[in-house]
Amino acid sequence: MLDPEISTAGALQHLSQPDDDRWAVDRRRFLQLVGMGLGAGVVAGSNSSLIESVLTGNEPWAHGAGPVGATDGILVILGMYGGNDGLNMVVPTNDSAYQAQRGNIAIAPGDTLPIDAANGLNRELTEFKRFWDAGHLAVVQGVGYQNPDLSHFNSMATWMSGLTGAIPSSGWMGRWLDGHLGSNKNLFTAAEIGHSLPLHLVGRVQRGTTVPAGRPAFGADTSAQSQRIYSSLRTISAPNNTTWKGRIGQAMVDQLDVARTLRPIIPDALPEAESSARLEVMARLINANLGFRVFTAGWGDFDSHANEPTMHTARMAELNAAVQRFFEILSPAWVNRVTIMTFSEFGRTSWSNDGRGTDHGTAAPHLVFGARVKGGMYGQRPALAGLKRWDRMAHHVDFRDYYGSVIDGWMGGGGSDVVGKPVNDLGLFLSPDVPVTPLVPVVTAPVAAGGSGGSPAVAGSGRFVALNPTRVFDTRVGVGGRLGAIGTDETVNVQITGQGGVPDGALSVALNVTSVNATESTYFSAFPAGLPVPSSSSLNPQPGRAIPNMVLVGIGAGGMVSIFNKFGQADCIVDVLGYFHPSDGCGLEPLVPERLLDTRVGLGAPAGRVGAGGVVELQVAGVGGVPATGCDAVVLNLTAVMPSSAGFLTSWPTGQPQPYISNVNYEPGRVIPNLMVCKLGAGGKLSIYVSDGDVDLIADVVGCFTAGGVRHSAVAPDRLLDTRTGVGAAAAAVGPGGEVSLQVAGLGGVPAGAQAVVLNVTATNATADTFITSYPSGSGRPNASSLNVSAGRTTANLVLAKLGPDGAVRLFNESGTVDLLADVTGFFS
């Protein structure tokens, strides 16, 4: 007899693999003898190994897993074990009964992420809000089953089996495998990322496998000793040998082959949170295109009997971070091929208990999201009015219809056979003939598809390593392998890793990109190689002018960054300033802009214009909010004011040799700014060189890099502001002395809690010479400029802006009217 109050962990253990498995002892002993333990490769946990598959009659798959079909969807199933509190995940913001019954664990409407007039998501679910805003999150309300059982084990068994009224012996997705594979055996079709195989991946004939959230070791090690062990194990196998010894031997050969396949796909370093690590492994296996159609993972404990505000909030944050990590790693080629769904064995009571928690309940909402999901509210929210302390909410959607709708709408059919009843289709998916806009991944650096064929690019948050600036690309003279201007609608790839001190494993890079010799007005877009060309610009080349702009961009496939040119022809120069790495380097301390240098008034240097060949040594450490010690590099907006002739400015660490690069390219009679990042040299100083003519110099500090600073994450470029069309603000040019308040956190892949943002700000249609100042909302406008605009010209500049408490930045226009555009390319958090 099972304890009716069995814990979540106990229920999971029973529903993953019985302890009296007749093969368990022999298998464990065998694995220990060959030095594998229980966590290596896909041979892990209970009832999930290749050996187990052989011994129970589920012979190994044909070697060389096939790719996913061109039109096949991939399903990710996330289990929230313990009974997730749906009312505090999808909050009924318009229901006074919720506030009354929940007392001090109720979430106030203002503390949610609103999705309609009646509901708000838990504030931690920023990634889910992103899908809702894109029209691709379905909230299925009131999901449950008849005569609900409040035992973790019994209810979990019902949800995992997908059947009611019978002792479960198979799971709903396992039965889908039965129909999908027939008699063909292939363990590269469905997998649990975890430690044991759950019931829902066990069919009547077929079953999934288990891949631990870690890199396989046994079977892939290249040392001579390991290779001798592998060779010995391979001799055990014999073709068509159906004896116990032969089947064990063949299973070991399969294990060795699979470990060798998985090892280059799964990195040694994975997120510390197990939920995020599991979803990263999923994403990497999808990118490798081994043929997987289904992945499952679960974690807990969502059993929030006490201290729910802290406990459940942490679970929501874990869920959001795991999904965000999944899309950080997932290659853009697969973003529109994946649907994610959630389940939990039950919801919670509508009333809170005396321990500031909730007790086992019944109906709850579940979430389905992906590029082909038809976003919106489905089902019916259970009524709370009139419920007494121990009453449970009524369900309105049979959980079998929830499952069947996903199977029929996404997996190709067979839902009624799987769930044992006609499916009342919820209509969760767009029809195949409806085009969808590709969803933008959270982080730009994609993971190369094909897995073992090469080294995947790494994505994630990183710390900055400043370099002595180095030129790595110049189409005028063939530096970087390209001789000749970039043509119309042409994309060129610039090798970044291995050049200028940037190592393999770098996530993103700080570049100064300059256009020269443009034949007509155009724009460049810099983006990670392997991604589609974005609908945003990085700089706006003009005939007869040298136009620079700094970019912080993710490093893409092959360690490269792509540069796209829209019109005409233009030469391109790329200088490397530094890179972001998962572990090395420093983090950013964002600052409210402050002026450090102005030669017009003698600030930071003697008053007077700087002549050709002149060098200004600018003290940075200890000035303008920059720490006196411990600062490795600084972010400045450097401006050339009214030069007497054309030329350029070069900055570098004081005391180091002057590099052959440019930070600002100026022309006579203009005010030309450019954002730059520069390593500090001797005495906490940097040097600025003037090439030609004479010019006034201005420098505004906006941030510095220190050991305690925050990390950078690149995002695929996304337009957050366009006053011409009403994106992010009213569709109207900004007038003289006018400001735009731009909400950034929660949009474009920037999470709530981000401290600073990287924006490419473009000014166009200016009626007068002016300047634009960016600064954090909630603080006073500083005496600084972010870009300087000439009437009638389109001007862009990279802006690193500290965010205000509300996650917004303000953009101020000094004179005339001007349209403003802002494209987000990254954030610091």
Side-chain angles (χ1 to χ4, degrees):
M1 293 290 291
L2 283 170
D3 180 357
E5 298 301 323
I6 188 171
S7 68
T8 303
L12 278 172
Q13 182 179 7
H14 283 286
L15 290 167
S16 295
Q17 171 61 31
D19 290 335
D20 63 353
D21 172 13
R22 61 196 177 98
W23 303 111
V25 175
D26 288 341
R27 180 175 73 249
R28 291 188 178 101
R29 287 177 178 171
F30 181 81
L31 295 178
Q32 290 165 355
L33 283 172
V34 298
M36 294 177 65
L38 290 176
V42 294
V43 185
S46 306
N47 201 24
S48 58
S49 68
L50 304 181
I51 294 175
E52 174 72 17
S53 301
V54 172
L55 295 176
T56 54
N58 193 17
E59 286 79 9
W61 67 95
H63 288 289
V68 174
T71 60
D72 287 341
I74 297 169
L75 179 64
V76 172
I77 304 168
L78 301 181
M80 298 183 287
Y81 297 133
N84 175 55
D85 186 357
L87 287 176
N88 277 14
M89 179 176 74
V90 181
V91 181
T93 54
N94 70 339
D95 193 337
S96 59
Y98 163 79
Q99 296 290 335
Q101 294 174 19
R102 286 278 164 131
N104 59 5
I105 75 163
I107 298 175
D111 289 336
T112 69
L113 304 174
I115 56 176
D116 61 16
N119 299 278
L121 292 176
N122 186 288
R123 66 180 183 274
E124 299 294 335
L125 300 181
T126 55
E127 185 70 358
F128 293 76
K129 180 64 159 55
R130 183 172 75 91
F131 275 86
W132 177 272
D133 291 341
H136 298 300
L137 170 67
V139 179
V140 186
Q141 303 186 93
V143 185
Y145 61 94
Q146 291 286 349
N147 302 316
D149 193 300
L150 301 182
S151 156
H152 286 295
F153 177 82
N154 292 338
S155 190
M156 198 180 293
T158 298
W159 273 87
M160 287 183 171
S161 69
L163 299 173
T164 60
I167 297 175
S169 59
S170 65
W172 70 282
M173 188 47 64
R175 293 192 298 277
W176 177 85
L177 284 174
D178 290 341
H180 177 70
L181 292 176
S183 61
N184 299 315
K185 315 300 181 182
N186 190 333
L187 293 182
F188 277 123
T189 301
E192 162 81 1
I193 310 301
H195 304 294
S196 59
L197 194 72
L199 175 64
H200 49 263
L201 279 187
V202 177
R204 298 185 176 102
V205 177
Q206 299 285 354
R207 65 183 63 202
T209 190
T210 301
V211 177
R215 191 176 198 183
F218 188 85
D221 184 58
T222 58
S223 69
Q225 180 181 9
S226 293
Q227 290 300 314
R228 286 194 296 271
I229 294 173
Y230 304 157
S231 296
S232 298
L233 290 172
R234 288 180 183 277
T235 63
I236 300 175
S237 175
N240 303 317
N241 187 336
T242 59
T243 66
W244 187 89
K245 175 181 176 182
R247 296 165 84 182
I248 283 286
Q250 184 58 52
M252 286 307 309
V253 171
D254 293 333
Q255 152 64 22
L256 297 175
D257 292 341
V258 171
R260 186 170 56 190
T261 299
L262 295 186
R263 183 170 174 80
I265 299 171
I266 302 173
D268 286 323
L270 287 167
E272 183 176 348
E274 189 167 11
S275 53
S276 293
R278 290 178 177 183
L279 265 69
E280 175 167 335
V281 170
M282 281 185 195
R284 291 187 182 278
L285 293 177
I286 292 172
N287 294 337
N289 198 12
L290 300 177
F292 284 109
R293 292 288 309 280
V294 179
F295 289 100
T296 71
W299 65 93
D301 191 349
F302 287 81
D303 197 16
S304 51
H305 286 287
N307 194 27
E308 180 169 327
T310 299
M311 181 265 207
H312 190 256
T313 299
R315 297 294 85 76
M316 293 292 96
E318 289 170 2
L319 174 64
N320 192 73
V323 171
Q324 188 171 48
R325 186 61 177 169
F326 177 85
F327 285 104
E328 286 178 355
I329 297 300
L330 189 67
S331 169
W334 293 99
V335 170
N336 286 8
R337 301 281 298 276
V338 175
T339 290
I340 301 178
M341 64 180 293
T342 68
F343 81 94
S344 188
E345 67 264 34
F346 42 62
R348 315 297 297 184
T349 52
S350 64
W351 286 81
S352 59
N353 60 30
D354 294 337
R356 299 183 72 233
T358 52
D359 298 305
H360 297 183
T362 49
H366 292 284
L367 308 177
V368 184
F369 54 104
R372 298 213 65 87
V373 172
K374 190 193 307 180
M377 306 299 291
Y378 293 80
Q380 179 180 335
R381 191 172 77 192
L384 305 185
L387 291 181
K388 296 181 175 61
R389 178 70 177 267
W390 299 110
D391 287 345
R392 266 65 178 189
M393 292 177 281
H395 83 280
H396 299 285
V397 174
D398 190 311
F399 80 115
R400 294 169 296 178
D401 291 328
Y402 175 53
Y403 286 163
S405 296
V406 173
I407 291 172
D408 289 342
W410 186 243
M411 301 303 291
S416 59
D417 293 332
V418 167
V419 301
K421 66 179 278 296
V423 173
N424 179 20
D425 188 6
L426 299 174
L428 299 172
F429 297 92
L430 298 167
S431 62
D433 58 342
V434 175
V436 297
T437 302
L439 289 171
V440 178
V442 175
V443 170
T444 55
V447 180
S452 58
S455 299
V458 180
S461 62
R463 298 169 66 80
F464 185 66
V465 179
L467 298 170
N468 289 331
T470 303
R471 183 150 293 172
V472 297
F473 192 72
D474 190 339
T475 61
R476 301 171 302 176
V477 295
V479 173
R482 167 67 180 239
L483 180 61
I486 308 174
T488 302
D489 284 330
E490 184 181 4
T491 300
V492 297
N493 290 328
V494 180
Q495 184 65 45
I496 297 298
T497 57
Q499 306 295 317
V502 181
D504 290 339
L507 306 177
S508 49
V509 64
L511 303 173
N512 202 64
V513 180
T514 304
S515 67
V516 292
N517 305 322
T519 60
E520 59 183 288
S521 297
T522 182
Y523 66 85
F524 281 179
S525 293
F527 58 100
L531 281 182
V533 177
S535 60
S536 59
S537 60
S538 301
L539 66 156
N540 299 81
Q542 299 289 326
R545 300 178 61 200
I547 306 288
N549 202 10
M550 194 177 93
V551 299
L552 300 183
V553 60
I555 298 173
M560 295 184 287
V561 166
S562 295
I563 307 291
F564 168 80
N565 174 50
K566 182 59 180 175
F567 301 114
Q569 295 184 331
D571 279 305
C572 179
I573 302 167
V574 178
D575 301 322
V576 169
L577 309 177
Y579 63 89
F580 293 88
H581 191 272
S583 55
D584 300 336
C586 297
L588 176 74
E589 290 189 21
L591 302 171
V592 176
E594 185 166 338
R595 186 146 291 173
L596 301 187
L597 174 68
D598 190 340
T599 60
R600 299 171 302 178
V601 296
L603 176 65
R609 294 166 68 83
V610 183
V615 176
V616 171
E617 291 189 358
L618 177 63
Q619 181 66 44
V620 175
V623 183
V626 178
T629 60
C631 177
D632 183 64
V634 68
V635 186
L636 297 173
N637 203 56
L638 180 62
T639 304
V641 182
M642 306 300 289
S644 62
S645 66
F648 61 88
L649 305 179
T650 299
S651 68
W652 73 98
T654 299
Q656 297 294 320
Q658 180 180 333
Y660 178 65
I661 63 105
S662 62
N663 295 101
V664 177
N665 295 78
Y666 54 77
E667 54 189 284
R670 299 287 182 183
V671 180
I672 308 294
N674 196 25
L675 193 72
M676 70 171 197
V677 59
C678 186
K679 186 177 180 66
L680 295 184
K685 297 180 180 180
L686 60 83
S687 298
I688 304 170
Y689 165 80
V690 174
S691 70
D692 299 277
D694 57 76
V695 61
D696 275 309
L697 302 178
I698 296 174
D700 301 321
V701 64
V702 298
C704 59
F705 289 97
T706 67
V710 291
R711 300 167 68 92
H712 171 263
S713 296
V715 299
D718 191 15
R719 183 145 292 171
L720 299 187
L721 174 68
D722 190 337
T723 61
R724 302 170 304 177
T725 61
V727 173
V734 184
E739 290 190 340
V740 171
S741 180
L742 177 61
Q743 180 64 38
V744 174
L747 301 175
V750 180
Q755 295 190 30
V757 66
V758 183
L759 299 171
N760 199 63
V761 177
T762 303
T764 190
N765 303 324
T767 60
D769 291 352
T770 186
F771 65 85
I772 308 300
T773 299
S774 69
Y775 63 99
S777 62
S779 65
R781 177 164 54 89
N783 176 30
S785 61
S786 302
L787 65 158
N788 297 76
V789 187
S790 298
R793 287 192 172 184
T794 297
T795 304
N797 199 31
L798 196 70
V799 172
L800 194 157
K802 182 177 182 179
L803 295 178
D806 58 353
V809 63
R810 300 186 73 84
L811 298 173
F812 167 83
N813 171 44
E814 170 66 19
S815 304
T817 62
V818 63
D819 278 306
L820 297 177
L821 296 75
D823 302 316
V824 61
T825 65
F827 62 89
F828 289 85
S829 63

